[in-house]
Amino acid sequence: MLKIPPVTQSKLTKLGIHTPFDLVLHLPLRYEDETSITRVDDLVTGETSQVEGEIIHSEVMYRPRRSLICQLQDESGILFLRYLNFYPSQQKQLAVGKKIRALGEAREGYFGMEMVHPKCHAGGENKALKQALTPIYPTTAGLPQPTLRKYILAALNSEQLSDTLPASLLKKLKLRAFDESVKLLHNPPPQIDEAELLERAHPAWRRIKFDELLAQQLSMRIHYQKRHERISPQLLPRETLTPRLLQALPFALTRAQQKVLQEIKLDLSRPHPMQRLLQGDVGSGKTVVAALAALQAIENGYQVAFMAPTEILAEQHYLKLLDWLTPLGITPVWLSGSLKKKEKTAAAEKIAQGETQIAVGTHALFQNSVEFQNLGLVIVDEQQKFGVQQRLALRNKGVFDVGRASARHVGLKPDLQKNEPHQLMMSATPIPRTLAMSYYADLDVSVIDELPPGRTPIVTKLINDNRREEVFERVRAACLQQRQAYWVCPLIEESDLMEVELQNAIETHQQLSEAFPDLNVGLAHGRLPPTEKAAIMAAFKSGEIHLLVATTVIEVGVDVPNASLMVIEHAERMGLAQLHQLRGRVGRGAAESMCVLLFQTPLSELARARLKIIFENTDGFEIAQHDLQLRGPGELLGARQSGVAMLRFADINEDAKLLEAARTLADELLRDMPDVAQAHLQRWMANKPDFLHA
Ligand code: ADP
Ligand code: MG
């Protein structure tokens, strides 16, 4: 391998290249064809070609602006070369009489065929043409292509590129050899189908993508297996509390809720940590499943932490749990950042002394000052909003000495056995299958794929904001029928517009209060003190407030079945997940529900696409799938993103088939050929930081 000078290395580091093998995987963005010469006569407008000839004229012109204009002549004609920026050295290179090769896009210019800013170098009969397409790499300032190319070539020659997968497997999976594939991508032969390369559809690309996906699957599945070697309390279904809650509920669980509950019950009764992602569309009834899981932990004498990312959502859960659990003799304790210091201390005390079996709250739950006596289960709502580090912090709170806890319940010897709490993660936004299969492959996944019965589908309307007065009539009609309505004003947190937007909500509240003197119009926004916010939400819940004007604080978790109309202002500014979440706040009762999306024109292309999707789809999984296509996985992954290695080459939408094959093979390799799995991971993951379960 060539020695890389420190200056160059620092540039390479910027590109994420730390090792020689990283150079091998630094694949071209595109190619230039310097393998042949085109006659000036044969140039086609819009096509990039290489020509060769003699400079017969060279001149700096000042009109319309300073530029260097040269004429290059071959046996067929004359081509104009134009440079708007140029160095004296270029001027010298393009002096009259020089033999030049110029590579650029031909176009019809004022004087005839021309190239603007072509790449030029000295030509001549005895100068050999390139044998392969010239790769153009992603690079950074101060690292020219030829330098990068030199080191990549050196790495290709010096690195061990032998296959990590046995030939029999490659044959079965119809995959090309690895060395052949990378070499081809760095130096494709001239006759190759360039479009296939650029679209990453070529078999060589297929191999690289497969390897990347396989490495991701292997590392996720190893995490999965390792988890099953760690120890957690066995929380057996003792059925002392759960049947009592089930009996008290005004409804029966849906088939889908029963199915996921079974999965969770089984996980909890194993002596290894559960890490299960509970998915279900908005309104599918995840909370009651979580409550039943909590009861199973409590039945075994263990504590539960129930965490949500926002105060409003956490409080909703708290109130619901109070309602459900108090009759069973269980008193949830509330812990959030907004509590006064004294209240916080009192709550922490109850948790530490084991006086409470379930603590509900926000991030405050995993602060250092909070010690659980014997934490057995952590429930996290809207898991995508929490970072891996935060989840880890809670996991570590469960590491305690069983001797001190309820060893008699779990039948473990009261020694210094370390325990880890089980984790149930809920996702308010459905996660598309391919995303779940790739970035969540370390978790178990349960899906509630059915809504409770008796819900009527929500009708969605798109209405231009200049017709908002018409919407007032709908609001009045709904409220006159003893229904309630939301009027949502977007509030993009941390934006410069926040104050303006808040003002909008306040003004809208005023406008609506004037329009409906006979109705009680409330206002809720994030700046209200928590107690005031809670009072307003409670008044809305009890029906005292008919119309609630709110910023997006109500995005998640608000549950008022009597509300049947939702109006969303500036729907064009909102993301799909957010719109879907908001819309899911209505349609919770038996009444016909409607969601009006007010938009202002002109619409950006993205906004138009989003509105069309939300208008045409009601199924959260389908919406999430569209969202994945619009935005890519990074955004959907939220905080988890920082914990897992993102895919550089494969695209989980386009390469869904490869992903499935990689998933299957990963499990097979780990079972039957651990050496092969190890070698493959070594190649692909050797230097990747792994925060996932650090
Ligand atoms: P999400 O999955 O969006 O968190 P929730 O847990 O808030 O949904 O449930 C939405 C509403 O449906 C709540 O009012 C809840 O009490 C109710 N619910 C849950 N399960 C059922 C069921 N099986 N039958 C009828 N209503 C249900
Ligand atoms: Mg919920």
Side-chain angles (χ1 to χ4, degrees):
M1 183 65 205
L2 283 177
K3 184 121 188 60
I4 302 178
V7 252
T8 310
Q9 185 51 59
S10 72
K11 305 272 181 212
L12 290 174
T13 305
K14 263 195 191 161
L15 294 172
I17 299 172
H18 308 282
T19 68
F21 195 76
D22 290 341
L23 281 164
V24 171
L25 288 181
H26 195 66
L27 296 174
L29 280 177
R30 58 187 180 86
Y31 302 91
E32 281 175 353
D33 189 351
E34 295 173 300
T35 63
S36 63
I37 304 268
T38 307
R39 285 156 38 106
V40 169
D41 234 12
D42 296 337
L43 286 175
V44 178
T45 299
E47 274 182 19
T48 299
S49 321
Q50 178 168 249
V51 296
E52 181 169 294
E54 189 181 323
I55 301 293
I56 56 163
H57 185 83
S58 173
E59 175 186 10
V60 177
M61 305 234 291
Y62 290 89
R63 267 153 212 268
R65 52 186 280 203
R66 186 169 175 271
S67 52
L68 173 66
I69 310 262
C70 303
Q71 293 177 23
L72 178 148
Q73 185 179 42
D74 72 359
E75 72 280 5
S76 73
I78 290 175
L79 173 72
F80 285 81
L81 312 179
R82 283 210 294 143
Y83 292 85
L84 300 173
N85 303 301
F86 55 94
Y87 299 105
S89 59
Q90 269 174 310
Q91 216 177 330
K92 228 154 99 196
Q93 187 192 28
L94 296 171
V96 171
K98 297 267 181 172
K99 279 255 181 199
I100 288 296
R101 268 183 202 163
L103 178 84
E105 190 184 316
R107 62 178 217 193
E108 213 76 57
Y110 183 71
F111 305 105
M113 220 31 139
E114 67 172 20
M115 284 181 185
V116 180
H117 289 192
K119 203 169 93 180
C120 284
H121 49 88
E125 277 86 66
N126 38 24
K127 223 181 149 184
L129 284 167
K130 293 251 168 84
Q131 294 302 303
L133 299 183
T134 312
I136 306 295
Y137 295 105
T139 189
T140 180
L143 184 62
Q145 292 289 335
T147 312
L148 193 50
R149 230 173 266 147
K150 181 175 77 182
Y151 291 115
I152 289 174
L153 197 67
L156 280 174
N157 288 325
S158 68
E159 281 300 286
Q160 172 62 262
L161 301 179
S162 59
D163 230 287
T164 51
L165 303 178
S168 57
L169 268 179
L170 294 184
K171 197 161 165 224
K172 194 175 114 196
L173 294 160
K174 299 201 176 62
L175 289 171
R176 292 227 175 154
F178 177 76
D179 60 346
E180 188 192 314
S181 301
V182 274
K183 284 180 176 160
L184 180 136
L185 294 175
H186 285 290
N187 290 302
Q191 67 279 6
I192 202 158
D193 181 344
E194 221 182 305
E196 211 181 20
L197 277 187
L198 295 182
E199 282 158 23
R200 302 187 169 187
H202 191 277
W205 265 116
R206 235 183 120 240
R207 174 61 203 267
I208 304 300
K209 293 181 187 182
F210 182 82
D211 277 18
E212 180 182 42
L213 288 166
L214 180 62
Q216 186 203 40
Q217 290 297 313
L218 283 171
S219 79
M220 294 290 228
R221 299 309 281 174
I222 286 173
H223 278 304
Y224 184 93
Q225 291 184 348
K226 287 225 174 103
R227 169 154 60 86
H228 292 87
E229 288 160 14
R230 300 199 300 263
I231 306 274
S232 287
Q234 266 182 290
L235 308 173
L236 300 171
R238 297 180 187 273
E239 314 278 353
T240 51
L241 295 168
T242 46
R244 291 174 60 197
L245 174 59
L246 283 170
Q247 231 156 40
L249 288 175
F251 50 77
L253 295 188
T254 61
R255 183 199 47 81
Q257 282 171 317
Q258 284 172 19
K259 183 193 71 190
V260 301
L261 188 61
Q262 275 314 315
E263 291 166 350
I264 294 167
K265 277 175 132 176
L266 207 63
D267 274 2
L268 290 177
S269 49
R270 296 204 173 108
H272 309 295
M274 164 173 88
Q275 281 183 8
R276 190 169 277 278
L277 179 66
L278 175 57
Q279 288 210 72
D281 208 345
V282 46
S284 61
K286 295 183 285 291
T287 321
V288 69
V289 173
L292 288 160
L295 284 179
Q296 187 164 325
I298 297 170
E299 281 172 357
N300 286 272
Y302 280 84
Q303 286 175 305
V304 179
F306 198 140
M307 188 164 72
T310 66
E311 252 332 272
I312 284 222
L313 181 53
E315 188 163 6
Q316 282 258 330
H317 286 322
Y318 174 64
L319 294 175
K320 196 148 233 177
L321 291 170
L322 266 187
D323 192 28
W324 284 341
L325 304 189
T326 319
L328 308 182
I330 294 159
T331 35
V333 81
W334 168 247
L335 186 65
S336 87
S338 69
L339 286 183
K340 292 199 190 74
K341 186 142 192 301
K342 229 172 103 191
E343 298 168 317
K344 236 184 267 181
T345 315
E349 185 77 358
K350 280 192 181 154
I351 295 170
Q353 298 302 323
E355 272 171 52
T356 188
Q357 301 93 326
I358 176 162
V360 190
T362 56
H363 301 70
L365 281 181
F366 52 80
Q367 275 161 5
N368 282 337
S369 53
V370 184
E371 289 280 348
F372 284 82
Q373 196 199 38
N374 58 351
L375 183 60
L377 170 65
V378 174
I379 299 172
V380 185
D381 200 8
E382 281 232 76
Q383 55 80 31
Q384 74 279 9
K385 299 256 164 89
F386 289 96
V388 175
Q389 294 310 325
Q390 294 171 319
R391 283 219 330 259
L392 269 178
L394 249 185
R395 179 177 115 189
N396 292 336
K397 290 212 177 290
V399 177
F400 61 94
D401 163 4
V402 177
R404 192 156 60 87
S406 316
R408 66 198 149 81
H409 283 292
V410 280
L412 287 173
K413 275 205 211 94
D415 56 13
L416 288 179
Q417 185 99 56
K418 293 291 183 197
N419 272 260
E420 174 179 336
H422 297 279
Q423 285 187 41
L424 180 64
M425 293 160 263
M426 300 196 277
S427 167
T429 314
I431 299 165
R433 209 178 78 88
T434 50
L435 197 62
M437 246 180 81
S438 51
Y439 293 99
Y440 291 89
D442 58 321
L443 308 179
D444 290 295
V445 179
S446 289
V447 182
I448 306 183
D449 53 6
E450 138 187 67
L451 291 179
R455 305 251 167 110
T456 40
I458 306 164
V459 177
T460 301
K461 297 225 182 263
L462 285 170
I463 299 185
N464 193 313
D465 189 65
N466 58 25
R467 288 168 49 204
R468 65 192 277 136
E469 311 273 318
E470 291 170 34
V471 179
F472 286 12
E473 289 320 305
R474 291 191 193 274
V475 172
R476 189 190 306 278
C479 293
L480 283 179
Q481 286 169 19
Q482 310 303 314
R483 297 271 147 216
Q484 289 167 275
Y486 297 96
W487 191 293
V488 181
C489 305
L491 185 80
I492 292 121
E493 255 168 273
E494 285 154 52
S495 91
D496 300 338
L497 291 172
M498 192 143 150
E499 289 304 322
V500 181
E501 285 163 348
L502 197 56
Q503 202 50 43
N504 274 347
I506 293 166
E507 274 163 26
T508 304
H509 174 246
Q510 218 152 32
Q511 187 188 23
L512 291 169
S513 303
E514 280 160 24
F516 308 118
D518 44 338
L519 296 182
N520 195 355
V521 186
L523 172 65
H525 58 76
R527 290 283 177 85
L528 290 179
T531 44
E532 212 171 302
K533 205 159 46 185
I536 289 170
M537 297 313 289
F540 187 58
K541 206 162 180 158
S542 72
E544 204 181 304
I545 290 178
H546 306 108
L547 170 61
L548 181 68
V549 179
T551 55
T552 37
V553 292
I554 63 153
E555 181 187 340
V556 283
V558 179
D559 187 28
V560 180
N562 191 46
S564 65
L565 174 62
M566 158 94 36
V567 182
I568 304 177
E569 287 210 46
H570 280 298
E572 79 280 359
R573 290 192 199 159
M574 293 193 197
L576 277 174
Q578 201 178 21
L579 286 171
H580 181 65
Q581 280 297 318
L582 282 170
R583 183 171 59 182
R585 298 304 119 205
V586 293
R588 297 197 157 211
E592 183 94 7
S593 290
M594 179 180 289
C595 177
V596 176
L597 304 175
L598 286 173
F599 63 88
Q600 289 196 351
T601 48
L603 289 175
S604 71
E605 203 159 312
L606 180 64
R608 188 179 297 274
R610 282 196 303 235
L611 289 178
K612 184 167 157 24
I613 292 165
I614 200 77
F615 179 72
E616 287 175 353
N617 294 278
T618 50
D619 181 301
F621 283 93
E622 272 167 40
I623 291 170
Q625 182 64 41
H626 285 292
D627 209 11
L628 180 61
Q629 269 151 11
L630 278 184
R631 297 195 298 165
E635 310 242 352
L636 269 70
L637 283 168
R640 189 179 177 85
Q641 184 179 180
S642 60
V644 293
M646 296 298 286
L647 295 167
R648 295 158 61 196
F649 306 122
D651 175 323
I652 53 171
N653 280 322
E654 277 164 28
D655 304 315
K657 281 222 178 79
L658 277 183
L659 171 60
E660 302 234 7
R663 170 65 170 264
T664 313
L665 184 63
D667 284 339
E668 279 171 21
L669 289 182
L670 289 173
R671 195 185 56 225
D672 304 331
M673 302 184 208
D675 297 351
V676 172
Q678 210 45 54
H680 191 79
L681 272 175
Q682 186 59 33
R683 165 169 287 172
W684 279 83
M685 297 292 201
N687 312 295
K688 298 281 173 295
D690 181 6
F691 302 109
L692 193 51
H693 295 180

